[in-house]
Amino acid sequence: MQPKKNIVHLPVYQPGKPIDEVKRELGLTEVIKLASNENPFGYSPKAKEAILAAIDQVSIYPDGGAVELTAALSAQFGVEPNQIIFGAGSDEIIMMIARAFLSPGEETIYAVPTFPQYRHNAEVEGAVVIEVPVDETGTHDLKAMLAKVNDKTKVVWICNPNNPTGTMLTEKEVKDFMEAVPKHVLVVLDEAYAEYNVTDQYPDGFALLKQHKNIVLLRTFSKIYGLASLRIGYGVGHPDVIRSINQVREPFNTTTFAQKAALAAASDQAFIDFCRESNAKGIRQLQAKFDELGLPYFDAHGNFIMVDVKRSGAAVFQALLRKGIIIRHDPSWGYPTKIRVTVGSEEQNNKFLEALEQVLSEVTV
Ligand SMILES: *Cc1c(COP(=O)(O)O)cnc(C)c1O
């Protein structure tokens, strides 16, 4: 037996440690996970009602076309139903885009560091990956990315805000890029954290869609909507692009419960507003303490912040873990002294900051 040559070197995804395992291993009673950008406030009670009301549909296949949810979101965003596709998280949409658009030897461009699934799925398809480092502020270098585009380029991935750095490209920057990039290139604008935006600079992806056929927006119900375990996200684009993605979609790729919960969650604007405002406060709370501790950080436009702890990020990760706080550090980012922390509730943030201050005195520079 021989698997495809282009997958043998790929890592198997290593999830963050589950809270219960950390508790058991370290003998802790309280563990706070600020590692996966999950919503510390849970999810809309309306979504819970919708899931419970649908529970007897367990034995029935879901609506593969997600008709009701498509209708609701197309009305909300002012696009046609044939411009939306749903996936088992936006992760699955990334996989489907790679599958539909990338053939062996063709090129795809993304930033470093960014969301790892662009690279992973491109490599599964045997595409040639072109990596362009973010600039010193942690922001995509769109000029350098544009300079890498050639006749073989099929897909450019733009993560905005960028995970893990948290930085944001402005409307003008993305607009200028779309005007300059050749029409044969599909630009994927991953907006997993769009709903957290509190600036007036964030690009209007839906306006860009009206101007450019070669752009697809990715959104998810896993982050501000708090439905991560249900696995549902969506892509919005030109009907031709969405049809191509639909051609590689599995027939029943999202569940009834995910669709019902998403429908209810999308209509609960009060919950979204609460989460966005609490998150903005949480970012200010974290930044104020980082300032006091003299730790530099990148601009944060999602529900997480990347901070320079000025000593081994791996050691700080381990020391925080021993105190029951799970954050994220990944050597592949290329930032040995930075960590990424998800914005929690005010109380969780305080506990993290208290633990961090202790850890900084334990872990030497
Ligand atoms: C979390 C995340 C996603 C995907 O989340 P799903 O749970 O698969 O919808 C996609 N892109 C970025 C940048 C993310 O941070």
Side-chain angles (χ1 to χ4, degrees), residues 274-296:
F274 167 76
C275 293
R276 186 182 51 249
E277 284 158 24
S278 305
N279 184 69
K281 267 189 228 155
I283 287 177
R284 289 195 295 271
Q285 179 191 0
L286 293 169
Q287 288 174 340
K289 186 71 181 185
F290 295 155
D291 286 340
E292 189 191 313
L293 296 169
L295 305 179

Side-chain angles (χ1 to χ4, degrees), residues 71-349:
L73 291 195
S74 61
Q76 184 178 330
F77 295 130
V79 298
E80 296 300 318
N82 63 1
Q83 293 188 265
I84 303 188
I85 184 166
F86 289 90
S90 46
D91 274 356
E92 194 196 14
I93 314 246
I94 294 167
M95 182 181 85
M96 292 190 286
I97 290 171
R99 199 161 177 194
F101 285 88
L102 294 175
S103 298
E106 293 180 334
E107 295 186 8
T108 190
I109 304 170
Y110 52 82
V112 178
T114 194
F115 194 56
Q117 292 314 103
Y118 315 142
R119 172 184 182 165
H120 179 86
N121 287 291
E123 293 199 337
V124 171
E125 302 305 329
V128 176
V129 298
I130 311 289
E131 307 192 325
V132 179
V134 297
D135 68 16
E136 67 289 347
T137 69
T139 310
H140 280 56
D141 185 345
L142 289 182
K143 280 204 179 73
M145 291 174 81
L146 190 62
K148 296 285 185 190
V149 172
N150 62 38
D151 291 347
K152 282 186 260 169
T153 310
K154 293 295 293 289
V155 179
V156 176
W157 309 86
I158 298 177
C159 188
N160 197 38
N162 187 36
N163 181 4
T165 59
T167 53
M168 182 187 89
L169 291 162
T170 64
E171 167 125 47
K172 174 157 180 15
E173 288 166 325
V174 176
K175 216 168 157 218
D176 289 351
F177 180 82
M178 286 312 302
E179 271 153 30
V181 79
K183 299 287 165 237
H184 72 273
V185 177
L186 178 65
V187 178
V188 180
L189 199 55
D190 185 343
E191 302 189 319
Y193 303 94
E195 300 85 357
Y196 283 107
N197 172 54
V198 289
T199 75
D200 56 6
Q201 304 276 301
Y202 191 67
D204 181 349
F206 293 94
L208 288 168
L209 270 181
K210 293 207 173 81
Q211 314 286 319
H212 304 281
K213 185 178 169 175
N214 58 325
I215 187 169
V216 58
L217 312 179
L218 301 187
R219 298 278 182 99
T220 179
F221 283 97
S222 299
K223 302 288 159 60
I224 206 167
Y225 296 96
L227 302 178
S229 80
L230 289 177
R231 312 305 304 126
I232 187 157
Y234 55 101
V236 191
H238 188 278
D240 292 349
V241 173
I242 298 302
R243 188 183 338 98
S244 300
I245 305 172
N246 245 325
Q247 284 171 314
V248 301
R249 184 175 64 78
E250 297 291 330
F252 303 110
N253 64 324
T254 61
T255 68
T256 301
F257 310 103
Q259 292 176 26
K260 299 275 187 200
L263 185 66
S267 73
D268 192 349
Q269 194 57 43
F271 180 76
I272 302 309
D273 291 343
F274 167 76
C275 293
R276 186 182 51 249
E277 284 158 24
S278 305
N279 184 69
K281 267 189 228 155
I283 287 177
R284 289 195 295 271
Q285 179 191 0
L286 293 169
Q287 288 174 340
K289 186 71 181 185
F290 295 155
D291 286 340
E292 189 191 313
L293 296 169
L295 305 179
Y297 46 83
F298 285 145
D299 276 355
H301 293 278
N303 66 340
F304 56 93
I305 181 163
M306 184 169 257
V307 57
D308 188 344
V309 289
K310 296 200 200 159
R311 48 190 53 65
S312 161
V316 168
F317 167 84
Q318 288 298 339
L320 283 169
L321 190 63
R322 286 192 293 272
K323 295 185 189 297
I325 311 268
I326 318 174
I327 51 91
R328 190 127 176 123
H329 171 77
D330 184 339
S332 78
W333 292 337
Y335 295 131
T337 63
K338 289 181 169 51
I339 61 170
R340 190 195 72 187
V341 59
T342 301
V343 180
S345 65
E346 187 179 358
E347 190 194 348
Q348 290 174 328
N349 296 337

